[in-house]
Amino acid sequence: DAGVIQSPRHEVTEMGQEVTLRCKPISGHDYLFWYRQTMMRGLELLIYFNNNVPIDDSGMPEDRFSAKMPNASFSTLKIQPSEPRDSAVYFCASSSGGQASNSPLHFGNGTRLTVT
Amino acid sequence: AQTVTQSQPEMSVQEAETVTLSCTYDTSESNYYLFWYKQPPSRQMILVIRQEAYKQQNATENRFSVNFQKAAKSFSLKISDSQLGDTAMYFCAFMKRVHGQNFVFGPGTRLSVLP
């Protein structure tokens, strides 16, 4: 089990540039979550998918953020255009959900994004 | 909506001693799960322990144990024989029994284990 794989581990970009973060969930997991972590706001859920379908994107801060899951083994989180306030650590997590599941979230190592 | 509160932003403990981290939550649900996650400086989020609300017995994982008080909506984590490697942020989390968006994290407690 390779765990949840995120790339890149670090990303430094200039304001206005497009940023794409990538995630490969654990094979067999049918839920995928994107979280953002900052000192001020802690861990915030941005969006989550079930069987590749976005279920709740109410945490996405604004239209500059978009997420896709074209298949069960890959998801992207895109920020266009990026702003300095987007600087944070972005985590992807997956779980094997379903009714009455107690499956915990399995997190990737996160991507630290710095927008200058 | 569910909320999770961790009232201790920072704590410290001497190596080999015992420390307890507090967590309270607010929910109207009767069936749910509670978790403690550890985030060391490497920033990896690591599951420490989980508790099912319908189980009265407190969960234990080696040196880690919980004190789950359902009526009080309290879920504290006790770390026995603290080790330097326990230095990390600790997050309490709540999940409704029906899986979905209700995986809510507390603000975290920064624990430092002192040599």
Side-chain angles (χ1 to χ4, degrees):
Chain A
D1 183 354
V4 176
I5 300 173
Q6 288 186 250
S7 64
R9 184 152 174 82
H10 304 278
E11 177 79 38
V12 180
T13 191
E14 293 183 347
M15 182 174 62
Q17 296 298 306
E18 177 180 295
V19 175
T20 300
L21 311 182
R22 297 172 175 79
C23 175
K24 175 180 170 58
I26 291 173
S27 177
H29 282 187
D30 53 353
Y31 280 83
L32 183 140
F33 301 77
W34 282 100
Y35 283 87
R36 179 172 68 177
Q37 185 179 33
T38 61
M39 289 291 292
M40 292 297 295
R41 301 174 69 90
L43 274 162
E44 302 174 275
L45 177 64
L46 300 177
I47 185 172
Y48 80 96
F49 297 82
N50 178 218
N51 291 323
N52 314 335
V53 176
I55 302 301
D56 184 357
D57 65 354
S58 60
M60 296 286 262
E62 47 196 275
D63 292 345
R64 298 184 297 106
F65 286 69
S66 63
K68 294 182 180 180
M69 192 166 186
N71 57 62
S73 59
F74 184 65
S75 177
T76 60
L77 178 67
K78 184 177 295 186
I79 308 172
Q80 166 63 20
S82 58
E83 297 182 3
R85 61 191 167 120
D86 301 331
S87 297
V89 177
Y90 290 82
F91 284 101
C92 175
S94 70
S95 72
S96 54
Q99 293 278 336
S101 168
N102 71 344
S103 173
L105 293 181
H106 297 261
F107 284 83
N109 287 333
T111 295
R112 180 178 294 281
L113 173 65
T114 303
V115 183
T116 61
Chain B
Q2 287 77 25
T3 59
V4 178
T5 302
Q6 294 177 250
S7 59
Q8 306 148 315
E10 294 189 22
M11 294 189 70
S12 62
V13 62
Q14 292 293 136
E15 196 175 5
E17 297 293 307
T18 296
V19 64
T20 299
L21 309 183
S22 301
C23 172
T24 58
Y25 56 94
D26 185 25
T27 183
S28 58
E29 302 290 329
S30 57
N31 291 324
Y32 49 87
Y33 299 92
L34 296 162
F35 304 84
W36 279 97
Y37 279 86
K38 165 185 176 181
Q39 187 179 39
S42 66
R43 83 168 181 245
Q44 185 181 5
M45 292 285 285
I46 302 166
L47 176 67
V48 175
I49 198 165
R50 80 181 84 174
Q51 174 79 41
E52 297 164 346
Y54 62 88
K55 288 188 177 179
Q56 292 186 339
Q57 185 174 6
N58 289 323
T60 299
E61 289 286 344
N62 300 314
R63 298 182 295 107
F64 299 88
S65 62
V66 299
N67 183 4
F68 174 49
Q69 302 289 329
K70 190 172 184 179
K73 297 180 182 176
S74 171
F75 183 60
S76 61
L77 174 69
K78 185 172 81 171
I79 306 174
S80 304
D81 185 25
S82 298
Q83 300 176 358
L84 296 178
D86 296 334
T87 293
M89 282 287 287
Y90 286 82
F91 294 95
C92 178
F94 170 101
M95 185 181 82
K96 238 170 55 164
R97 191 161 186 234
V98 176
H99 205 288
Q101 70 275 23
N102 284 301
F103 209 111
V104 179
F105 286 87
T109 295
R110 183 175 302 279
L111 176 67
S112 297
V113 180
L114 308 175

